[in-house]
Amino acid sequence: MTQATLAANTPTAVPKIGFVSLGCPKALTDSELILTQLRAEGYETSKTFAGADLVIVNTCGFIDDAVKESLDTIGEALAENGKVIVTGCLGAKAGEGGGNLVRQMHPSVLAVTGPHATQEVMDAVHLHSPKPHDPFVDLVPAQGVKLTPRHYAYLKVSEGCNHRCSFCIIPSMRGDLVSRPIGDVLGEAQRLFESGVKELLVISQDTSAYGVDVKYRTGFWDGRPVKTHMTDLCEKLSEIAALHGAWVRLHYVYPYPHVDHILPLMASGGVLPYLDVPFQHSHPDVLKRMKRPANGEKNLERLQRWREACPEIVIRSTFIAGFPGETEAEFEHLLGFIREAEIDRAGCFAYSAVSGATANDLPGMLPMAVREARRARFMEVAEAVSSAKLARRVGATMQVLIDSASALGRKGGVGRSYADAPEIDGVVKLLPPEKASKTLKVGEFTRARIVGTQGHDLIAQPI
Ligand code: SF4
């Protein structure tokens, strides 16, 4: 049985992968895993061999006819494209003399794997057709996962988004939410921790929606069933992280009721008590015009409940000032929200039209000067709130992950506490240790006593 699995060609520069899936339903499931991963990483599929950057053939080796069909398909793909990765049952089959049958028949294939080998196939794809990167939509920084410092890494749990926020074009570019299989996500987390990662940053377009596209189906990790759900994901990540003395930090979480279930895990330290919740605004009418997820939720009350359940929690968020039609009263509502909700870390953009976004058609576009002025007013309030919260930390002792320290920290160093995500929040500036025996090493934790603040940063004495 042959199933050519292919989407329409679109005129973009992202790599296109041709994919042929042969064989039984188990092989088809493997194909789904590989295609899901390809899509999650931003690859496109090609309808034709010739139009692809490379071709993956998932083979069947069960009966002779199936073997012939698989070998013929590989031959066709090589003739029309030249770059072919072979996976599936035939890939595991020995030929005459004990060598690999596929390699004997088609020596020019790029790679051959057996069945259930999503990661090996993806490694071969990355080698021969590097991952696409779109600076406008990727959540991972341009340098990519592998180029983050060894001690922290991003873990993308899904791609795409089911929402249709009126200022955003990501869904039209990336499509609806596609969650990665939970087993793959946890496997990647484990590999990252084993390679020395001390802080794992969970990202997606909507981490709270993880698994919704697969109806929270049960997957497997370490031989046990695990649901593809944010709560289960966090529980398992916290267990794996604990084995390696590492942190787990959650980004892009929306204030849905089920997020409440993560709070006990934060209070017990399994997941960092830090939530990156992109509120974008506080006024219900603006949120409706923005078509924001969870726009009917009572965010202030939810935040208060979160703080009761976990007093240490730090909330980071981003906002838009001067959205089309935003009245002065609506903007004042936003300023009141920042003060009352005591948002620890807030970023703000003056609204700016994105080509193709439906918000462009909304009435009441404000002059750029008004948008910028509101952004400046917002930042003044947000910084006052943030500074007051930072000042309360003086005298406390915090765990700090060291990001830089030359000469074993003799001149001090720079690190981050649980309250600081890399690149977007402040840092903890570490003074030279008082004890000669105390050293600071990148990627290690140190306890530090907070002795002062400086803008968004803390000053601390390692102890
Ligand atoms: S939640 Fe809204 S802003 Fe975020 S990716 Fe989806 S559509 Fe865009």
Side-chain angles (χ1 to χ4, degrees), residues 279-283 286-287 290 319-320 326 330-331 334:
F279 285 112
Q280 306 301 4
H281 211 281
S282 64
H283 196 284
V286 181
L287 289 170
M290 287 180 166
F319 295 87
I320 296 174
E326 184 189 61
E330 286 167 344
F331 178 65
L334 175 58

Side-chain angles (χ1 to χ4, degrees), residues 376-395:
R377 282 167 65 198
F378 175 100
M379 287 314 296
E380 205 174 312
V381 172
E383 279 170 11
V385 170
S386 183
S387 302
K389 295 203 81 174
L390 279 183
R392 283 187 226 156
R393 295 201 182 274
V394 174

Side-chain angles (χ1 to χ4, degrees), residues 161-165 167-171 205-206 254 292-293:
C161 181
N162 287 346
H163 305 296
R164 296 294 181 263
C165 299
F167 55 80
C168 176
I169 57 165
I170 285 176
Q205 310 292 350
D206 179 358
Y254 287 94
R292 289 298 287 162

Side-chain angles (χ1 to χ4, degrees), residues 137-180:
V137 296
D138 274 9
L139 295 166
V140 178
Q143 67 269 33
V145 169
K146 290 188 186 67
L147 295 182
T148 51
R150 194 167 159 262
H151 61 284
Y152 69 81
Y154 295 90
L155 179 71
K156 193 185 254 193
V157 297
S158 61
E159 182 57 87
C161 181
N162 287 346
H163 305 296
R164 296 294 181 263
C165 299
S166 55
F167 55 80
C168 176
I169 57 165
I170 285 176
S172 66
M173 298 176 78
R174 285 283 194 237
D176 284 341
L177 182 101
V178 178
S179 299
R180 291 179 60 198

